[in-house]
Amino acid sequence: MLLARLAQVSQDVAATSARSKKIALLAELFRDAEADDVPIVIPYLAGRLPQGRLGVGWKVLGRPVAPAAEPTLTVRAVDALLSELGKVAGAGSQAERARLVGALMGAATEGEQRFLLGLLTGEVRQGALDAVAVEGLARATGAPPADVRRAVMLAGSLQTVAEALLTDGPPALERFRLTVGRPVLPMLAHSASSVAEAVGKLDSCAVEEKLDGIRVQLHRDGDVVRLYTRTLDDITDRLPELTAAALELRGERFILDGEVIAFDEDGRPRSFQETAGRVGSRVDVTTAAEAVPVSPVFFDVLSVDDRDLLDLPFAERHAELARLVPEPMRVRRALVSGPEDVHEAEEFLAETLKRGHEGVVVKSLDASYSAGRRGASWLKVKPVHTLDLVVLAAEWGHGRRTGRLSNLHLGARTADGGYAMLGKTFKGMTDAMLAWQTERLQELAVDSSGYTVTVRPELVVEIAYDGLQRSTRYPAGVTLRFARVVRYREDKSPEDADTVETLLAAHPEVRP
């Protein structure tokens, strides 16, 4: 498949808000694709590179290259070149990256160049998410959409199912079954603004602690235990204490869903960064385990003794979980009969926050397990942190944000009267906001000669964020987690912005 075809579909999908039109466009694309194109086409549509980050910055990408007159690049040729780019290292690597990027851009048409720039900078966000791609794939192959969704859920990979479908047709879906040892994508939760809203939507429900740990899926088959992350990476060798815990459980063959988290000596959760660092540690696991021991906390069970429990109500699955897993290894929870008892749920949330956790997840007792989907029967509730910060700079966007200032550099006031950058964000912006901030920031620009436009620190923006983590990249030693724009505060002056000291006082657990 030519890259030009994919780039055009990406543009067309971005240009429509109609889900039915998106599905039709993707269905036509899949009909034209060969099975070998699928592992590239699907992540490209979602704005992901199969190779991950390639270490190519704007210094390389910003060099102008004359576009090709006619499209000749195939998606597989592009993928091969990007794989080669990802292997570049050592002396002369910068020059070699520049050479490879130049060759790629020189072979691309103007439209393909725009698509590639967006892909390489992470700014392809045209709404071709996996859920829409599943519908398009079903229409392209004549398979029932529900069967395709379930196959993707059980395979843990849309690409795998798409390759099988495009090669062998709908009968290929029979291959995908829940199997111990083969991870599935986890069920995710939507957000609710309050416990009252969540309980009002779900009625009879369980309110469970929301832990700020790492999602894990545990598979045990006799003496063999495997552990997988939310993205289905195998991390068994990094967490020997979880293997030991699994082997102490009553069953012989099962799949559990939960979190792994590090606690301090007082039983309070350590920072997310410490847990993530421990789970990410691959070298000298024994020393890492002694320094930061982690504990499993399970909240669901997907299979027991080869019985697929996915379609059972949550109340029945939890009964199986309680039979397998002792209470200290299960998530704390409270049962609420409906909106008339919402005060109980609110008290549980307050207690959970006092214990140092980030919120609760409210779950319908009647709901099945919708693996790989963000189900409306799970609603997460957590306090929203907000800050008033000053815009220090902004970066020019790509893809559908070409010509707009997009990625904001955010700063908090410091004790010496200056500003310390806390991170960046391009999230939460409407088209109207993008247009307004592009005009306003250019009025404040002090340096607009390159990819980043530096501005006078005069514009205050309200930022929501999920937490704080340590970072050596920024001067305050910390950075915001999942920052997104709420609104601009033209009613406030830079002197009204929050300070670094105020931020650190609100998050003593991550003070650098």
Side-chain angles (χ1 to χ4, degrees):
M1 174 177 285
L2 287 175
L3 181 68
R5 172 88 168 90
L6 177 59
Q8 185 61 54
V9 170
S10 174
Q11 180 178 322
D12 292 343
V13 168
T16 180
S17 60
R19 181 182 175 88
S20 60
K21 180 62 174 175
K22 292 179 189 287
I23 292 170
L25 287 166
L26 294 178
E28 187 177 352
L29 179 72
F30 289 138
R31 291 189 191 101
D32 294 343
E34 297 180 20
D36 290 344
D37 295 329
V38 171
I40 308 164
V41 167
I42 288 176
Y44 277 17
L45 283 169
R48 301 190 301 264
L49 288 172
Q51 297 85 358
R53 294 191 177 187
L54 296 176
V56 180
W58 187 249
K59 186 176 181 180
V60 172
L61 295 174
R63 299 175 182 177
V65 179
E70 298 292 333
T72 59
L73 284 172
T74 65
V75 293
R76 275 180 268 177
V78 171
D79 183 65
L81 191 148
L82 293 181
S83 293
E84 184 180 349
L85 183 64
K87 296 175 184 176
V88 174
S93 59
Q94 188 73 1
E96 178 62 8
R97 288 193 187 98
R99 185 189 72 79
L100 290 172
V101 170
L104 175 62
M105 292 301 182
T109 63
E110 186 176 352
E112 289 172 325
Q113 284 187 352
R114 286 195 300 269
F115 179 75
L116 288 168
L117 278 172
L119 197 60
L120 290 167
T121 57
E123 290 233 6
V124 173
R125 291 184 297 277
Q126 77 283 21
L129 303 178
D130 284 352
V132 181
V134 164
E135 299 288 338
L137 181 63
R139 183 176 299 185
T141 58
D147 292 352
V148 178
R149 282 194 293 270
R150 188 172 182 84
V152 171
M153 172 183 76
L154 298 179
S157 166
L158 175 58
Q159 291 96 305
T160 300
V161 174
E163 286 182 80
L165 264 176
L166 292 174
T167 301
D168 299 323
L173 298 178
E174 292 296 322
R175 302 175 198 164
F176 302 104
R177 302 178 181 278
L178 185 62
T179 304
V180 174
R182 186 169 69 189
V184 300
L185 292 170
M187 182 172 176
L188 304 175
H190 278 294
S191 295
S193 60
S194 67
V195 168
E197 177 190 334
V199 174
K201 288 181 177 179
L202 301 181
D203 200 38
S204 180
C205 56
V207 184
E208 298 183 344
E209 287 182 331
K210 187 179 189 307
L211 309 180
D212 197 14
I214 299 293
R215 190 78 172 263
V216 292
Q217 192 174 113
L218 186 149
H219 292 236
R220 176 180 169 183
D221 185 2
D223 293 335
V224 177
V225 176
R226 308 306 301 177
L227 299 168
Y228 303 94
T229 65
R230 171 174 167 166
T231 53
L232 311 188
D233 296 320
D234 189 328
I235 55 171
T236 309
D237 295 340
R238 304 181 211 170
L239 302 174
E241 58 265 66
L242 262 72
T243 296
L247 293 174
E248 293 296 321
L249 299 180
R250 299 185 182 95
E252 289 288 320
R253 188 173 171 83
F254 50 77
I255 302 173
L256 301 178
D257 190 6
E259 299 244 347
V260 59
I261 188 169
F263 293 101
D264 63 20
E265 58 275 9
D266 297 322
R268 294 180 63 82
R270 298 170 77 159
S271 72
F272 173 81
Q273 198 167 11
E274 289 178 278
T275 298
R278 167 62 209 286
V279 174
S281 178
R282 295 176 172 85
V283 179
D284 197 358
V285 171
T286 300
T287 300
E290 291 174 354
V292 185
V294 294
S295 302
V297 182
F298 297 110
F299 48 72
D300 217 324
V301 58
L302 313 187
S303 174
V304 176
D305 297 331
D306 292 322
R307 286 188 296 126
D308 182 336
L309 308 183
L310 296 175
D311 293 328
L312 290 182
F314 178 48
E316 294 183 31
R317 295 199 311 278
H318 193 272
E320 288 287 341
L321 179 71
R323 184 178 65 82
L324 283 173
V325 179
E327 187 174 1
M329 290 171 58
R330 300 198 306 268
V331 73
R332 284 191 180 97
R333 68 199 307 247
L335 296 179
V336 177
S337 58
E340 65 277 7
D341 293 328
V342 70
H343 64 281
E344 297 179 12
E346 291 171 338
E347 288 176 1
F348 185 83
L349 170 61
E351 293 168 1
T352 297
L353 295 174
K354 286 180 182 178
R355 286 194 289 269
H357 298 300
E358 64 173 3
V360 296
V361 182
V362 184
K363 300 179 178 179
S364 168
L365 295 175
D366 298 327
S368 60
Y369 189 97
S370 301
R373 303 186 69 189
R374 200 170 288 281
S377 57
W378 285 14
L379 299 173
K380 57 186 176 182
V381 181
K382 55 184 179 179
V384 176
H385 306 288
T386 62
L387 291 169
D388 289 331
L389 300 177
V390 175
V391 179
L392 305 178
E395 298 168 7
W396 290 105
H398 295 287
R400 65 186 298 268
R401 293 191 176 188
T402 298
R404 304 286 182 88
L405 285 172
S406 175
N407 208 12
L408 302 179
H409 295 205
L410 305 169
R413 291 189 296 125
T414 57
D416 60 5
Y419 298 93
M421 186 174 170
L422 298 176
K424 307 177 184 180
T425 188
F426 53 75
K427 297 180 179 179
M429 301 173 189
T430 63
D431 288 342
M433 185 182 292
L434 283 165
W436 180 86
Q437 74 184 24
T438 299
E439 181 178 351
R440 183 73 180 96
L441 291 173
Q442 287 185 96
E443 294 172 356
L444 299 174
V446 295
D447 182 0
S448 56
S449 58
Y451 172 60
T452 300
V453 175
T454 304
V455 301
R456 297 194 303 274
E458 297 178 10
L459 190 59
V460 177
V461 62
E462 185 178 346
I463 297 294
Y465 67 103
D466 284 4
L468 203 63
Q469 67 184 47
R470 297 187 187 97
S471 173
T472 58
R473 184 176 180 180
Y474 296 107
V478 294
T479 187
L480 305 176
R481 291 179 59 201
F482 305 114
R484 62 268 187 198
V485 174
V486 177
R487 55 178 171 162
Y488 278 98
R489 296 302 306 264
E490 289 191 284
D491 58 321
K492 292 192 174 185
S493 69
E495 290 74 24
D496 296 321
D498 286 298
T499 66
V500 172
E501 290 74 14
T502 299
L503 177 64
L504 293 177
H507 299 276
E509 72 280 4
V510 293
R511 184 178 289 275

